[in-house]
Amino acid sequence: MITTFRIRRFNPETSPSMPYFQEYKLDTDRADTVLDALIHIRETLDESLTLRCSCRGAICGSCAMRINGHAALACKTKVQAMASERGIVQVEPMNNMPVIKDLVTDMAGFWEKVRQVQPWLQPAGQEPEAEYLASAESMNHLTGVMGCIMCGACVSDCAALEVDERFVGPAALAKAYRFVADPRDGAGRSRLLALNEPGGMWDCTRCMECIEVCPKGVGAMDRIMSLRGQGIQAEVPSTCGARHAEVFADLIYRKGRLDEPMLAVRTFGLRNLSRLLSLLPMVLRAFVRGKVPKTGPFHRAIPGLEKFRRLFQRMEERP
Amino acid sequence: MTTAYEYDVLVMGAGLAGMRAALAAHEAGARVAIMTKVHPVRSHSNAAQGGINAAMTDRGDDWEEHAFETVKGSDYLADQDAVEILAQEAGREILTLEHMGVIFNRNEEGRLGTRRFGGQKRARTFFVSDFTGQAMLHVLFEQLMKARVPVFEEWFVTSLVKDADGRCAGLIGFEIRTGQFALVKAKAVIVASGGLGRVFEPSTNALICTGDGMAIAYRAGAALMDMEMVQYHPTTLKGKGLLITEAARGEGAYLLNRDGERFMKRYAPNMMELASRDVVSRAGQTEINEGRGVDGCVLLDCRHLGRRLIHERLRQISDEVHSFAGIDLTKEPVPIRPGMHYQMGGIKTDVDGRCWDRHGAWAGVPGLFAAGETACLSLHGGNRLGANSLLDTVVFGRRAGRCAAEYAREVPTPHVPDSTVGMEQQAVSALLSRHANTDSVATIRHEMGVAMHTHLGVFRDQEGMMTAKETLEALHDRYSRVGVQDKGQVFNTSLIRALELGFMLDCAETIVRSALLRRESRGAHFRTDYLHRDDAQWLKHILVYHQPDGSPRVAYLPVRLTRWEPKVRTY
Ligand SMILES: Cc1cc2nc3c(=O)[nH]c(=O)nc-3n(C[C@H](O)[C@H](O)[C@H](O)COP(=O)(O)OP(=O)(O)OC[C@H]3O[C@@H](n4cnc5c(N)ncnc54)[C@H](O)[C@@H]3O)c2cc1C
Ligand code: SF4
Ligand code: SF4
Ligand code: FES
């Protein structure tokens, strides 16, 4: 099967150093992964093609990149599944982080955000002589999140990050959840308080991208929702974040759709003008990227709202 | 332009061994830093699936039994004093890891649960589903962040520097992102750079396992020991050689030949599929060679284990088999074959990680330490037991870290002229500026791997190994002329692969050299021209040293026996 790989290349040492697409044609096998193909290209066609890779087995997290527009591990993606009818596969570096060269991105910011959630066990009280006792279920549950290989795919495709780079992002939040949900950890409340700040757990827009692209089934968004739940249960003060969620729900109840400007105004309060103004650059970015609906910024209620409200009521009736 | 850094202890490598060593040195009060060619969590340790051994006395296990099984597994080549330390300190180390945050699987009482691994009668393998290595690696990295140990991340080490007295004085490397060289001075250096799997093709090892540290230490005067002992794992996927963990058999999977026969009953009637790895690999390869295989493979059958167990305990490999071989573990047996997996040999150290002998019985480099797969104590001798390697990395990583910190307290800061960096940089620039010819690094690398696999795999003989030796000489010659296409400074992976190939060729040469010398069959070193173990002649280690002209010099050391006399080995 002849496949054309359309690869976005970038070399900061050439001038002018602008990204461009380069095409390579390759005879690929049914079993080949995109990583096999890229390695084949660099070994036989172009040694300078630059990417990170190591394990070939979807465990080291090195080879995340965008394949046909979505982040994925090259070593876990079959060429056959991706090739278009014309036999083309498009490969680009991850989004939401600077590119160093070709498919290699700078992940310093990614790791800085992971560090922000203080990702180490902080037990309360004295260390036991033997192991900590913990139920098999709780530990089994944690292995699901522990499966995160820190590949960055979720961060690459996160919609919230695209408009606001201060958001700590899905990978770091899933990591935070790993500690909040660990029965051995004693810092749960202070962790939740930290996540309650702007840029924390309330900034996720629930676009589900992080769930879609994760190669390890970590389900970052679900973990973020669990964190919010735990935050509310632990009665962390109703800050902007929590208010954001409440207003979010209320607006949807009243209009059947999200009214972003109203959301911001009611979250921060009209008197908090400086905070509102600080959102302007983000709004502009969102506008430039076509994330603001064409119908204009202020929304009317959607048709069929009654049915929708009944849904809400039914949800609230549930225990 | 170069920058100079200075530490008490400098660690090369951020896998389990390197990070454990750095933490121990940090706790002992040393100023410590790590240099690693990939981000710590990308290290190869995360590929370890099955688990980590420990005989916990508080639950009725017996460390002596663990030690004995390790010695027997090694075909009596292991140094028994080192094995005793490994088995004795294992339980404590597991608890330390648990306290740091590793999520080990639990039993019904909420205590740590175990599974059974090969070569052992008791279930003493602690595990995290089937991604134990990853779970441990990420937790050690968390601890490293907490301790704020500086990490030279994505720095490639090219050589070890010594002072005028021949003491280790630091490392030279370059930042991959900028191509900038630096000398990092240190009173003690710990090499923890992992294995050399890619010297063979195929291999279960990651693409970065290229024996860099072994070659760098060897070139600087350290001894490489037991290099002929290369482990082939019985169950690797055809094609790229990805591993299917021994835990599958530990949980009860069968090995079948084309007639559906559990052939292990003819080779190891008692332990069956869980005999030690060299035995199972030879059995599988014999079935294939004698025409009872299926398309160059035998079969691993998990169907009777049930969906639930597979999901809970073998999730990662069931995903892996599904995405890389298109097979549903619960419905079909998987074609597998023996594949290169682990290097038992490595940089010779004592039980505290020192690469020199304070009593002068063997030569080495003062101030140099090693730990993990790159080191050789010898713990694993002729054959490593499954789940003993992770244990090796943490127990001896910790010991090396502590000992290096103590050593650093006693010695003055070494003197090295800054011009050393310039010389190293020039050597690399020379390689970089060489014109690309029709040959390529990838071709040489591939030919080396195939030659090693063909002639130094499960079965070996004089003739084949001589062929490999000649091939390597020719490849070495070609290597001295090959050029790289990418001439840039920024993230030049083309250059890195060329440098790695140089390291691999050195390692390959020491493997062939040692294997030719050992005229017997022991553990993983099985010669069809010398079928039996010969304790009278060969109850000893082979050490090789680098000489200025590039050729290896050979020395021998007796095996240290404490309480177990060599016996005939049956399973
Ligand atoms: C697929 C697989 C499964 C396994 N399963 C198990 C198991 O279940 N149980 C078990 O006990 N063992 C298992 N093993 C073996 C075990 O995983 C390894 O032996 C062990 O993890 C090695 O750890 P390490 O710290 O020595 O090296 P590694 O984890 O390989 O780390 C090496 C480090 O050195 C650095 N480095 C290398 N060269 C350079 C250079 N030139 N410059 C700078 N840095 C450099 C790398 O960046 C890396 O950080 C398995 C091995 C494989 C391949
Ligand atoms: S959550 Fe998934 S996509 Fe995100 S870093 Fe972890 S493994 Fe990668
Ligand atoms: S669901 Fe939330 S965290 Fe996940 S990608 Fe979307 S915005 Fe980001
Ligand atoms: S190469 Fe390791 S995740 Fe793809």
Side-chain angles (χ1 to χ4, degrees), chain B residues 281-295:
Chain B
S281 282
R282 269 195 297 281
Q285 194 62 49
T286 306
E287 292 297 301
I288 296 165
N289 292 353
E290 294 179 356
R292 289 186 296 279
V294 183
D295 209 7

Side-chain angles (χ1 to χ4, degrees), chain B residues 48 57 127 165 188 194 219 236 260 262 268 276 311 349 395 409 412 423:
Chain B
T57 38
F127 64 102
D165 302 329
R219 290 174 187 177
T236 69
R262 276 179 80 185
S276 74
H311 183 74
T349 72
V395 168
R409 261 200 297 276
M423 279 155 60

Side-chain angles (χ1 to χ4, degrees), chain B residues 36-226:
Chain B
T36 168
K37 66 179 175 181
V38 296
H39 184 281
V41 307
R42 315 272 179 244
S43 297
H44 181 56
S45 287
N46 58 15
Q49 302 169 342
I52 174 167
N53 287 332
M56 298 271 248
T57 38
D58 70 344
R59 50 212 73 182
D61 202 347
D62 174 7
W63 72 262
E64 286 185 36
E65 189 183 297
H66 179 198
F68 168 67
E69 286 174 342
T70 303
V71 168
K72 179 181 171 190
S74 82
D75 218 349
Y76 295 91
L77 187 66
D79 282 330
Q80 298 180 4
D81 53 344
V83 175
E84 286 183 27
I85 293 176
L86 179 84
Q88 271 173 310
E89 294 187 0
R92 193 67 250 159
E93 197 61 37
I94 298 282
L95 291 178
T96 307
L97 290 168
E98 199 277 332
H99 291 162
M100 284 178 181
V102 179
I103 302 168
F104 288 110
N105 273 46
R106 308 278 159 156
N107 59 23
E108 298 78 47
E109 293 122 65
R111 308 198 64 190
L112 304 184
T114 51
R115 64 161 47 127
R116 228 184 116 202
F117 246 58
Q120 305 177 81
K121 296 205 184 75
R122 253 189 254 237
R124 66 164 65 92
T125 305
F126 295 85
F127 64 102
V128 186
S129 186
D130 58 359
F131 55 91
T132 314
Q134 186 208 331
M136 288 169 59
L137 190 73
H138 283 243
V139 167
L140 282 183
F141 180 59
E142 291 161 17
Q143 295 298 312
L144 210 67
M145 285 195 271
K146 183 178 168 201
R148 298 185 174 280
V149 172
V151 180
F152 290 75
E153 181 190 315
E154 297 196 321
W155 276 68
F156 189 87
V157 176
T158 57
S159 68
L160 193 90
V161 231
K162 297 194 286 186
D163 69 4
D165 302 329
R167 276 187 313 146
C168 174
L171 293 172
I172 294 181
F174 62 90
E175 186 181 25
I176 297 173
R177 187 181 177 156
T178 58
Q180 195 95 179
F181 270 81
L183 163 65
V184 183
K185 289 185 201 174
K187 296 175 180 174
V189 167
I190 304 176
V191 179
S193 55
L196 52 61
R198 302 313 306 185
V199 166
F200 288 71
E201 186 61 54
S203 161
T204 62
N205 286 201
L207 300 172
I208 55 170
C209 298
T210 49
D212 305 4
M214 288 185 209
I216 284 170
Y218 173 63
R219 290 174 187 177
L224 296 185
M225 185 167 93
D226 292 351

Side-chain angles (χ1 to χ4, degrees), chain A residues 110 147-154 171 213-216 218 220:
Chain A
F110 173 94
C148 169
I149 55 175
M150 297 284 164
C151 65
C154 53
V213 302
C214 177
K216 305 303 279 187
V218 173

Side-chain angles (χ1 to χ4, degrees), chain A residues 47 52 54 78 132 175, chain B residues 106 142 154 207 323 494:
Chain A
E47 256 186 32
R52 289 192 184 99
S54 177
K78 286 268 167 58
Y132 288 99
K175 186 85 177 167
Chain B
R106 308 278 159 156
E142 291 161 17
E154 297 196 321
L207 300 172
S323 50
S494 179

Side-chain angles (χ1 to χ4, degrees), chain A residues 12-13 33 36 39 42-43 45-62 75-76 78 100-101 104 106-107 111 114-115 119-121 127-136 139-140 142-144 146-151 175 178-179 182 184 216, chain B residues 39 41-42 46-47 58-59 92 95 98-107 109-112 128 131 134-135 138-139 141-143 145-146 148 154 177 198 203-208 240 242 312 315-316 323-324 440-442 483-486 488-494 497:
Chain A
E13 289 176 281
T33 62
D36 294 330
I39 290 179
R42 83 173 183 193
E43 287 190 345
L45 300 174
D46 187 346
E47 256 186 32
S48 71
L49 177 66
T50 307
L51 63 144
R52 289 192 184 99
C53 60
S54 177
C55 69
R56 314 155 297 145
I59 187 78
C60 75
S62 302
C75 69
K76 210 190 172 185
K78 286 268 167 58
I100 296 177
K101 182 175 171 185
V104 175
D106 181 356
M107 291 191 74
W111 288 108
V114 171
R115 194 186 288 266
W120 45 82
L121 193 70
E127 201 165 83
E129 184 58 30
E131 70 266 43
Y132 288 99
L133 294 182
S135 72
M139 289 289 131
N140 262 342
L142 285 184
T143 57
M146 247 343 251
C148 169
I149 55 175
M150 297 284 164
C151 65
K175 186 85 177 167
R178 174 247 169 283
F179 291 100
D182 192 326
R184 302 169 298 175
K216 305 303 279 187
Chain B
H39 184 281
V41 307
R42 315 272 179 244
N46 58 15
D58 70 344
R59 50 212 73 182
R92 193 67 250 159
L95 291 178
E98 199 277 332
H99 291 162
M100 284 178 181
V102 179
I103 302 168
F104 288 110
N105 273 46
R106 308 278 159 156
N107 59 23
E109 293 122 65
R111 308 198 64 190
L112 304 184
V128 186
F131 55 91
Q134 186 208 331
H138 283 243
V139 167
F141 180 59
E142 291 161 17
Q143 295 298 312
M145 285 195 271
K146 183 178 168 201
R148 298 185 174 280
E154 297 196 321
R177 187 181 177 156
R198 302 313 306 185
S203 161
T204 62
N205 286 201
L207 300 172
I208 55 170
K240 275 169 275 186
L242 291 172
E312 258 175 33
R315 184 163 54 203
Q316 147 87 14
S323 50
F324 297 103
S440 80
V441 167
V484 295
Q485 273 176 15
D486 191 344
Q489 292 287 309
V490 177
F491 228 98
N492 188 339
T493 50
S494 179
R497 283 194 305 280

